């Protein structure tokens, strides 16, 4: 065939010039033969077809044959014609820029001339081909396309009208922004009014196309649609009761999107819309019901939700609850009647691709064991993992979940009577839906559910033994939603029974139950933390036995449960008995997996947590693990370099391998501490790390900076020689557009500063301005704010002369960021830094004293010397302004703040505790040393407005004035040559 096509290329050049291309008959037959072969189920045949297709793509007029088969060979069967068009579509996607103009022109003309083909399949295929060509930049260079398609909508031939509308719908889906741009002279101004006319068409298919086209422009608020918004809404209302389910579905979809972007236009009609959506959520066509159910999810995000729905809860709650039952199709798909399937091998196609989440450094918060910052995973609503498609059951559950968060206790009176009936229903399908309902409302209604939980939790624990696997699995999920309450009760009451039954379900004979139990137990581990320590031996026996029991998919979830256990109990896992149970099966799996096996991802994550928890207990296993991680990073970097240099010869690397390897190295450094130094000595990890820090992929940089920080803490002698190279890279990554990268870079800078001490001075200028900008940035996630504040404090501690001049620019957000952090070494070093900077530049904190008082009071038990620093600063201020002024100032404190400062630092409203200070007030300035008002120079600090006129009682030459009430933000007095604070 190859020589025939080559021959036709020569002949057809002349024909193409006349625009009368005709195929060579023998070549056409071979193309048809190839198309038929491509439908063969035989793998070898498929491979041969693919090779021939690649060969034929070298000849541009091969695409003419393909369009010819699609549009002209009416006698050929439809699947073959359609397949020809789909192969052509793929060629357009990949090679269109190489098509000769004559070939491209021929294809375009054939598409437009045959858009009204009698076959719906062929019309749809041509529509797909047209939109694929248009997305290759051809909308601008195919000016006749949109006008011709719009004109053909007026055709009296149904096929032409429907085919044109189908193509326009696909173009609207793929190119909505371009259609509303000046680049095309805004064709929507003509198209939108045109589409609206067809809402009244006699054909339901045409009506459906028309709504679907307009719907593409709602979210983007296209001006042409906004100009016709009232007509659009009126037209939708007219179609509300349409007999065609596809039309009703598109009407519901339109109303949901309008609720999001033009709720103002819907408010006058909201009562009618709510009643309509209640009907449609019960539509016999599940696709319509699903679209309508989305309305409640979207409405819950609107401020008007409570007002709009309060009167409809009695009708809405039963509708949503009813939608949460498994349908017959669901049960078939989930193999709901299959109880024991643990020995059935997994279908590898059913295992979702797993993406590693790079390591992010976070701080612990006061009274919050499980705080993980803003980027924690949330799989709470993923109760139907095996049903990956969004369906009515999931949507109904999600809607009930969000509405429970809106209405809270107001929802329960409508729900509890229904719930009790469901939970004890003899039909397992109904009972299962009741358990799902109970889980869905857990977050929003938790407080008001508490009185019922002592009865409900034991019932749910009993449901873990139900004879139906789907009941057992949903009971696992719902119990995980109440794990926080379970853990807050005496362990023997609920925690121990729940843990015992969940561990049994981890060894269930049904794979779906195994999965649900493993996930639920991981949630319980996060909540219980060290409460699990007494049961560790029992827990490990179960998890380790599961290794021999689980198929591929659940094995990956088991890794997560083990890693979460290690995170939760920490160093308590470092016991010879536990190590002997846990490590052999993990290392066996580690040795079985090849470097390119993606199952390494969850195993590496698991080992990272285990290594951190075991600390020195991981030493016997660390060397081969460390070396393999270094090898993974090195291979990935080498492959990336080869791909960059020769993209046609090498594949791009999967950088997730590098990311998980870096994160496990971080876990080793954190867990082993100084013991990791010998491993680092024998490797080139610092060179590799420098390359990773400059990778184009943010997640690689994120993990690199986490590793850099951990190595800085564990073996700084290897990091120090690289600081001059590393610091500019860290400075460049202080970009809050990449939150996690910026977070880890910030944290690493702080760790380096502590190790470098005064030698950090040359590098402060590389990072300080960016850090100050980040801490003042609105809507920055709290994890990044906290790490930024810690790092600024640490830089100020080691290089106060460089950082202190900028105190006024960051002191207030600095204090508010760190007030909720629990006492730890990072907080300690940061507060020491702020105290030292106050000594260097006391004027920098004059305006914000109350914030500092609040931040100091957040400490539960500071070290003695840090407490002394706080004491001197607080009493220096109090002694300076005098009793009366201090009284007025402290009146603004919340009662708890007053109590903390009085109890911890003796800062009381009456009776000064300090001797005289050398500071004084002159006019509206605080003087750092006695001098006359005429001598005001650099030693004077402007007073905050609320302190202006306060009469000081400290010695000095300042003049008093009238006392004004008002809020004093923060005035801090520190230690330097001009400020001498006397210890009482």
């Amino acid at each position: 065939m190859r020589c025939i096509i080559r021959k036709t290329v020569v002949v057809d050049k002349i024909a193409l010039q006349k625009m009368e291309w005709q195929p060579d008959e023998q070549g056409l037959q071979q193309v048809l033969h190839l198309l038929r072969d491509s439908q063969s189920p035989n793998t070898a045949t498929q491979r041969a077809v693919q090779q021939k297709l690649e060969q034929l793509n070298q000849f541009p007029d091969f695409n003419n044959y393909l369009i010819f088969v699609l549009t002209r060979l009416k006698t050929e069967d439809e699947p073959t014609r359609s397949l020809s068009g789909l192969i052509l579509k793929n060629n357009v996607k990949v090679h269109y820029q190489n098509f000769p103009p004559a070939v491209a022109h021929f294809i375009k003309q054939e598409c437009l001339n045959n858009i009204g083909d009698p076959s719906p399949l062929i019309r749809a295929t041509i529509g797909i081909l047209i939109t694929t060509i248009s997305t290759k930049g051809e909308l601008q260079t195919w000016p006749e396309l949109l006008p011709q398609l719009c004109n053909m909508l007026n055709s009296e031939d149904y096929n032409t009208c429907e085919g044109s509308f189908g193509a326009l719908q696909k173009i609207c889906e793929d190119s909505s922004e371009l259609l509303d741009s000046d680049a095309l002279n805004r064709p929507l101004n003509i198209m939108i009014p045109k589409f609206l006319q067809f809402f009244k068409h006699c054909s339901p298919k045409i009506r459906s196309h028309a709504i679907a086209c307009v719907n593409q422009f709602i979210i983007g608020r296209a001006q042409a649609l906004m100009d016709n918004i009232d007509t659009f809404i009126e037209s939708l209302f007219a179609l509300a009761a349409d007999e065609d389910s596809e039309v009703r579905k598109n009407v519901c979809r339109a109303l949901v999107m309008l609720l999001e972007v033009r709720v103002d236009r819907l408010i006058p009609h909201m009562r009618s819309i709510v009643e309509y959506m209640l009907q449609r959520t019960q539509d016999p066509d599940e696709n319509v019901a699903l679209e309508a159910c989305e309305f409640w999810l979207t409405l819950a995000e609107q401020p008007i939700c409570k007002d709009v729905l309060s009167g409809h809860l009695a009708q809405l709650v039963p509708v949503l609850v009813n939608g949460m039952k498994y349908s017959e199709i669901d049960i078939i798909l989930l193999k709901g009647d299959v109880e024991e399937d643990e020995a059935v091998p997994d279908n590898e196609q059913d295992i979702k691709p797993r993406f590693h989440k790079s390591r992010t450094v976070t701080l612990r918060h006061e009274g919050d064991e499980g705080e993980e910052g803003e980027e924690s995973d949330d799989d709470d609503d993923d109760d139907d993992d095996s049903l990956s498609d969004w369906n009515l059951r999931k949507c109904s559950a999600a809607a009930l979940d969000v509405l429970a968060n809106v209405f809270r206790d107001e929802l329960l009176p409508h729900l509890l009577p229904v719930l009790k009936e469901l939970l004890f229903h003899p039909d397992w399908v109904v009972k299962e839906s009741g358990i799902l309902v109970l889980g869905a409302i857990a977050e929003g209604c938790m407080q008001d559910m508490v009185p019922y939980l002592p009865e409900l939790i034991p019932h749910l624990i009993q449901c873990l033994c139900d004879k139906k696997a789907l009941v057992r699995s949903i009971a696992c999920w719902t119990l995980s939603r109440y794990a926080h309450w379970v853990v807050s009760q005496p362990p023997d009451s609920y925690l121990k029974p729940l843990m015992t039954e969940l561990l049994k379900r981890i060894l269930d004979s049904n794979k779906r139950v195994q999965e649900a139990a493993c996930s639920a137990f991981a949630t319980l581990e996060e909540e219980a933390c060290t409460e699990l320590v007494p049961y560790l031996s029992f827990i490990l026996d179960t998890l380790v036995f599961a290794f021999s029991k689980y198929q591929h998919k659940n094995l990956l979830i088991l890794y997560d449960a083990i890693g979460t256990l290690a995170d939760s109990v920490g160093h308590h896992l470092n016991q010879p008995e536990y190590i002997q149970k846990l490590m052999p099966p993990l290392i066996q799996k580690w040795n079985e997996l090849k470097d390119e096996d993606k199952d390494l991802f969850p195993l590496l994550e698991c080992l990272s947590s285990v290594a951190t928890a075991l600390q020195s207990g991981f030493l016997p296993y660390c060397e081969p693990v460390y070396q393999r991680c270094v090898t993974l990073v090195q291979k990935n970097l080498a492959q990336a370099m080869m791909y960059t240099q020769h993209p046609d010869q090498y594949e791009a690397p999967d950088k997730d391998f590098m990311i998980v390897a870096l994160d496990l190295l971080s876990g080793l450094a954190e867990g082993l501490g100084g013991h990791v130094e010998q491993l680092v000595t024998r490797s080139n990890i610092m060179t590799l790390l420098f390359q990773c820090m400059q990778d184009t992929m943010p997640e690689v940089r994120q993990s690199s900076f986490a590793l850099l920080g951990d190595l800085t803490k564990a073996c700084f002698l290897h990091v120090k020689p690289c600081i001059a190279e590393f610091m500019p890279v860290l400075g460049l990554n202080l970009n809050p557009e990449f939150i996690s990268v910026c977070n880890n870079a910030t944290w690493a800078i702080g760790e380096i500063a502590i190790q470098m001490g005064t030698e950090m001075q040359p590098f402060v200028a590389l990072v300080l301005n960016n850090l100050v900008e980040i801490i003042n940035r609105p809507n920055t996630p709290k994890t990044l704010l906290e790490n930024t504040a810690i790092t600024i404090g640490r830089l100020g501690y080691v290089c106060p002369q460089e950082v202190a001049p900028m105190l006024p620019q960051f002191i207030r957000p600095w204090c508010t960021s760190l007030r909720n952090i629990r006492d730890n070494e990072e907080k300690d070093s940061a507060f020491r830094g702020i105290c030292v900077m106050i000594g260097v530049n006391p004027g920098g904190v004059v305006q914000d004293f109350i914030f500092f008082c609040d931040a100091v009071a957040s400490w539960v038990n500071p070290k003695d010397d840090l407490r002394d620093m706080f004491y001197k600063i607080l009493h220096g201020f109090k002694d300076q302004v005098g009793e009366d002024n201090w009284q007025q100032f402290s009146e603004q404190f919340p009662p708890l703040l007053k109590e903390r400062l009085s109890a911890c630092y003796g800062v009381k409203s009456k009776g000064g505790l300090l001797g005289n200070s050398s500071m004084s007030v002159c006019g509206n300035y605080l003087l750092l040393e006695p001098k006359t008002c005429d001598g005001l120079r650099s030693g004077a600090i402007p007073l905050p407005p609320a302190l202006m006129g306060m009469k000081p009682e400290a010695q000095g030459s300042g003049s008093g004035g009238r006392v004004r009430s008002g809020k004093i933000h923060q005035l801090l007095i520190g230690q330097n040559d001009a400020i001498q604070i006397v210890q009482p």
Side-chain angles (χ1 to χ4, degrees):
M1 173 165 188
R2 183 167 182 158
C3 46
I4 291 173
I5 293 291
R6 189 184 297 277
K7 178 180 173 184
T8 59
V9 170
V10 177
V11 174
D12 292 334
K13 281 183 180 176
I14 301 168
L16 282 169
Q17 289 171 5
K18 297 179 180 179
M19 302 311 298
E20 296 173 354
W21 185 89
Q22 290 295 323
D24 176 274
E25 185 58 34
Q26 192 177 354
L28 179 61
Q29 290 306 315
Q30 289 195 28
V31 169
L32 287 170
H33 181 72
L34 185 66
L35 291 169
R36 291 173 190 132
D37 280 353
S38 69
Q39 298 172 63
S40 166
N42 184 280
T43 307
T45 305
Q46 289 277 2
R47 272 200 298 266
V49 167
Q50 193 58 42
Q51 289 176 353
K52 285 182 182 177
L53 285 174
E54 289 173 7
Q55 293 170 6
L56 291 172
N57 272 320
Q58 299 173 28
F59 306 104
D61 73 333
F62 172 55
N63 297 296
N64 285 4
Y65 282 88
L66 293 173
I67 190 69
F68 188 89
V69 172
L70 174 66
T71 59
R72 300 279 188 92
L73 287 192
K74 312 284 187 185
T75 55
E76 193 61 41
D77 65 89
E78 289 182 11
T80 299
R81 291 174 63 196
S82 176
L83 179 61
S84 182
L86 294 176
I87 291 172
L88 176 55
K89 179 208 74 169
N90 290 334
N91 287 348
V92 167
K93 285 180 76 171
V94 180
H95 305 296
Y96 189 75
Q97 67 277 9
N98 299 324
F99 283 17
V103 171
H105 180 78
F106 181 65
I107 293 170
K108 290 177 184 177
Q109 283 303 112
E110 286 298 298
C111 285
L112 286 174
N113 291 341
N114 293 276
I115 195 70
D117 192 281
S119 160
L121 177 62
I122 300 306
R123 292 199 301 270
T125 306
I126 292 173
I128 291 169
L129 186 52
I130 286 174
T131 193
T132 306
I133 294 171
S134 69
T135 57
K136 303 302 288 186
E138 285 295 295
L139 270 180
Q140 293 95 320
T141 57
W142 195 358
E144 68 272 23
L145 173 64
L146 294 176
Q148 283 196 35
L149 288 175
C150 286
N151 286 336
M152 284 191 282
L153 296 181
N154 300 322
S155 173
E156 293 182 5
D157 175 48
Y158 169 80
N159 293 335
T160 301
C161 179
E162 195 280 326
S164 302
F165 240 134
L168 282 167
Q169 182 179 332
K170 294 177 180 70
I171 292 170
C172 290
E173 290 171 3
D174 292 344
S175 307
S176 59
E177 289 185 18
L178 189 57
L179 292 174
D180 193 32
S181 69
D182 290 328
L184 295 180
N185 295 320
R186 300 194 178 272
L188 277 194
N189 293 335
I190 297 168
M191 293 166 69
I192 293 289
K194 181 96 174 174
F195 295 154
L196 291 172
Q197 294 172 14
F198 285 86
F199 278 39
K200 299 175 182 176
H201 198 276
C202 61
S203 162
K205 183 75 171 172
I206 300 298
R207 295 197 299 274
S208 179
H209 276 315
I211 307 170
C213 283
V214 179
N215 283 357
Q216 297 304 319
F217 304 99
I218 298 175
I219 296 298
R221 298 172 181 261
Q223 190 58 49
L225 177 56
M226 295 302 107
D227 292 343
N228 292 274
I229 194 71
D230 292 327
T231 306
F232 176 44
I233 292 171
E234 288 169 15
S235 303
L236 287 173
F237 290 165
L239 292 173
D242 199 282
E243 75 278 2
D244 184 77
S245 61
E246 195 68 20
V247 172
R248 296 197 304 274
K249 184 181 85 172
N250 282 327
V251 169
C252 290
R253 183 175 294 173
L255 290 171
V256 170
M257 290 190 286
L258 285 169
L259 183 63
E260 190 173 334
V261 300
R262 288 309 302 264
V263 68
D264 58 310
R265 284 293 196 268
L266 297 186
I267 286 174
H269 316 283
M270 195 56 78
R271 183 178 182 83
S272 301
I273 293 172
V274 167
E275 290 171 355
Y276 173 68
M277 286 301 191
L278 274 167
Q279 293 175 17
R280 293 286 70 81
T281 308
Q282 303 169 79
D283 198 283
D285 186 311
E286 184 170 329
N287 292 320
V288 178
L290 177 57
E291 286 296 337
C293 195
E294 295 277 0
F295 180 82
W296 315 114
L297 273 174
T298 306
L299 183 57
E301 297 171 359
Q302 299 294 328
I304 62 168
C305 178
K306 218 166 183 181
D307 292 337
V308 167
L309 281 187
S310 288
H312 297 276
L313 287 180
Q315 296 82 38
L316 176 59
V317 166
V319 170
L320 292 177
V321 168
N322 191 55
M324 292 165 71
K325 286 190 292 195
Y326 277 127
S327 68
E328 291 182 13
I329 303 266
D330 292 339
I331 295 171
I332 292 168
L333 289 173
L334 290 168
K335 302 181 177 65
D337 293 327
V338 177
E339 290 300 316
E340 296 188 9
D341 63 352
E342 64 177 348
V344 179
D346 289 340
N347 183 346
E348 296 300 309
Q349 293 177 336
D350 292 338
I351 300 175
K352 291 181 181 178
R354 200 173 184 291
F355 302 100
H356 173 69
K357 195 182 78 173
S358 301
R359 190 178 177 102
T360 304
V361 183
T362 58
L363 299 170
R364 290 295 181 120
H365 292 73
E366 200 64 53
D368 189 356
E369 290 290 338
E371 179 63 46
E372 290 295 334
E374 281 66 35
E375 298 174 41
S376 59
D377 290 328
D378 184 6
D379 328 276
D380 280 347
D381 56 355
D382 198 9
D383 61 289
D384 280 321
D385 228 17
S386 303
L387 281 181
S388 56
D389 292 335
W390 188 241
N391 58 20
L392 182 61
R393 169 184 161 91
K394 286 187 172 185
C395 191
S396 300
L400 189 62
D401 188 343
V402 294
L403 290 172
N405 278 284
V406 172
F407 286 96
R408 299 194 179 274
D409 60 318
E410 295 176 43
L411 194 71
L412 286 183
H414 305 287
L415 195 57
L416 286 175
V418 183
L419 189 56
K420 189 166 185 179
E421 183 183 339
L422 297 177
L423 286 171
F424 298 93
H425 201 282
D427 183 344
W428 75 266
V429 175
V430 178
K431 178 181 178 180
E432 194 277 346
S433 71
I435 299 171
L436 174 59
V437 169
L438 190 58
I441 64 170
E443 184 182 346
C445 299
M446 176 63 77
Q447 189 173 343
D448 296 279
M449 286 298 296
V450 165
Y452 307 100
L453 293 181
E455 179 186 355
L456 286 172
I457 296 300
H459 176 67
L460 288 173
I461 292 173
Q462 281 185 352
C463 291
L464 291 174
C465 306
D466 195 276
K467 62 180 182 179
K468 281 291 179 182
L470 290 175
V471 174
R472 298 199 299 275
S473 65
I474 199 63
C476 290
W477 177 78
T478 294
L479 280 162
S480 74
R481 300 273 282 178
Y482 290 93
H484 184 76
W485 181 85
V486 167
V487 170
S488 70
Q489 306 302 304
D492 287 346
S493 302
Y494 307 103
L495 176 60
K496 197 171 178 181
L498 173 57
M499 181 182 62
T500 303
E501 290 305 317
L502 271 182
L503 288 171
K504 289 179 185 176
R505 297 288 68 78
I506 284 175
L507 302 180
D508 199 276
S509 57
N510 181 274
K511 292 192 289 187
R512 180 173 173 76
V513 178
Q514 293 171 359
E515 176 185 1
C518 248
S519 297
F521 195 75
T523 302
L524 186 65
E525 289 169 341
E526 290 176 329
E527 292 289 348
C529 293
T530 52
E531 293 282 336
L532 297 179
V533 170
Y535 316 107
L536 268 177
S537 184
F538 181 37
I539 292 169
L540 287 171
D541 284 341
T542 303
L543 296 180
V544 167
F545 187 74
F547 269 109
S548 61
K549 193 176 177 72
Y550 278 14
Q551 297 289 336
H552 184 192
K553 180 182 178 184
N554 287 348
L555 197 58
L556 308 184
I557 297 164
L558 179 62
Y559 292 145
D560 181 61
I562 292 170
T564 305
L565 178 68
D567 291 335
S568 300
V569 301
H571 66 88
H572 296 284
L573 200 59
N574 186 10
Q575 298 291 332
E577 173 199 353
Y578 304 150
I579 295 170
Q580 190 51 46
K581 288 181 178 185
L582 180 59
M583 289 309 298
L586 284 176
I587 293 300
Q588 181 185 344
K589 294 294 180 185
W590 170 264
N591 290 330
E592 288 172 2
L593 294 175
K594 296 179 180 179
D595 283 354
E596 51 279 355
D597 193 326
K598 291 193 176 183
D599 284 2
L600 270 179
F601 296 168
L603 180 54
L604 282 161
E605 290 172 4
C606 173
L607 281 172
S608 178
S609 296
V610 169
T612 304
L614 291 187
Q615 300 175 355
S616 59
F618 198 79
L619 275 173
Y621 310 96
C622 67
E623 184 146 7
V625 172
Y626 178 91
Q627 292 301 339
R628 188 174 190 181
C629 287
V630 172
T631 300
L632 282 169
V633 174
Q634 191 160 318
K635 286 169 67 173
N636 208 283
L637 287 171
Q639 189 178 346
M641 184 178 294
M642 289 187 292
Y643 173 72
T644 302
Q645 294 172 352
H646 307 286
D648 52 333
Q649 298 177 30
Y650 296 96
E651 289 186 4
D654 183 342
K655 292 185 179 179
D656 270 355
F657 285 101
M658 180 157 56
I659 294 165
V660 291
L662 290 167
D663 286 348
L664 179 45
L665 289 170
S666 280
L668 290 172
E670 185 179 350
L672 298 177
H675 294 294
V676 83
E677 192 272 330
Q678 294 179 355
L679 299 171
V680 174
T681 301
R682 297 194 294 271
S683 71
N684 61 338
I685 187 60
M686 299 313 299
T687 303
L688 300 175
L689 183 56
F690 184 55
Q691 292 176 254
C692 293
M693 287 166 57
Q694 299 172 84
D695 198 273
T696 55
M697 187 175 182
E699 291 81 2
V700 175
R701 301 198 304 277
Q702 176 183 335
S703 293
S704 303
F705 298 139
L707 176 55
L708 175 59
D710 283 318
L711 289 175
T712 297
K713 293 174 73 173
C715 54
F716 186 62
L717 67 105
H718 291 288
V719 177
K720 189 173 182 180
C722 310
I723 292 299
E725 289 180 305
F726 284 4
M727 284 305 300
V729 179
L730 286 164
L732 288 172
N733 280 275
L734 296 178
N735 175 7
E737 295 303 315
F738 299 100
I739 294 292
S740 297
V741 179
C742 184
N743 183 81
N744 287 5
T746 301
W747 174 74
I749 291 166
E751 293 296 340
I752 289 168
I754 289 297
Q755 297 290 339
M756 289 284 284
T758 55
E759 294 179 72
M760 191 70 182
Q761 187 272 332
F763 308 108
V764 172
L766 290 173
V767 299
L768 184 58
N769 286 332
N770 286 341
L771 292 171
V772 172
E773 185 178 330
I774 291 165
I775 205 170
N776 283 289
R777 193 171 180 262
N779 303 318
T780 300
K782 65 180 179 182
T783 299
L784 179 55
L785 285 177
E786 291 159 1
N787 271 325
T788 303
I790 294 283
T791 295
I792 289 173
R794 289 177 155 190
L795 287 170
Y797 185 52
V798 297
C799 300
Q801 298 294 339
E802 285 70 30
V803 185
M806 297 189 75
L807 266 176
Q809 297 178 44
F810 63 75
I811 185 62
R812 183 186 294 197
W814 191 95
C815 292
T816 55
S817 298
L818 294 188
R819 70 177 308 280
N820 293 321
I821 302 300
R822 65 177 57 180
D823 297 3
N824 59 30
E825 289 299 322
E826 293 179 320
K827 183 174 179 178
D828 179 278
S829 58
F831 271 80
R832 288 174 190 275
I834 216 73
C835 291
V836 172
M837 286 188 277
I838 290 166
V840 171
N841 179 21
V845 293
V846 165
Q847 298 292 330
D848 294 299
F849 182 60
I850 198 169
F851 292 94
F852 179 76
C853 292
D854 180 56
V856 167
S858 74
W859 278 88
V860 177
N861 189 26
K863 294 177 181 176
D864 289 344
D865 58 338
L866 180 60
R867 185 190 297 273
D868 187 49
M869 295 171 85
F870 293 156
Y871 186 97
K872 289 177 180 178
I873 289 171
L874 293 169
H875 281 279
F877 171 80
K878 179 177 182 290
D879 186 53
Q880 169 60 40
V881 299
E883 289 295 344
D884 291 342
N885 295 330
W886 176 260
Q887 182 71 27
Q888 293 179 47
F889 172 55
S890 61
E891 283 303 316
Q892 303 163 68
F893 291 179
L896 184 59
L897 178 56
K898 284 184 187 178
E899 291 170 18
R900 291 291 290 270
L901 292 179
S902 175
C904 299
Y905 302 100
V907 183
K908 300 176 182 176
S909 298
K910 298 293 183 183
L913 296 178
L914 293 184
N916 292 336
S917 165
S918 60
M919 293 175 291
S920 60
V921 172
C922 179
N924 291 333
Y925 288 86
L926 175 68
L927 305 185
L928 301 188
E929 54 184 288
K931 56 180 72 178
T932 65
C933 289
D934 295 334
L936 293 179
R937 292 188 297 276
S938 61
I941 306 169
L943 280 177
L947 271 184
M948 289 180 183
M950 282 190 176
K951 182 180 178 182
E953 295 185 359
Q955 292 181 351
S957 57
S959 60
R962 68 182 173 87
V963 177
R964 283 187 355 175
S965 61
K967 185 172 182 180
I968 305 174
H969 297 298
Q970 193 169 12
L971 172 63
L972 301 184
I973 300 168
Q975 297 168 290
N976 65 7
D977 293 339
I979 301 179
Q980 298 171 3
I981 300 178
V982 181
Q983 183 80 18

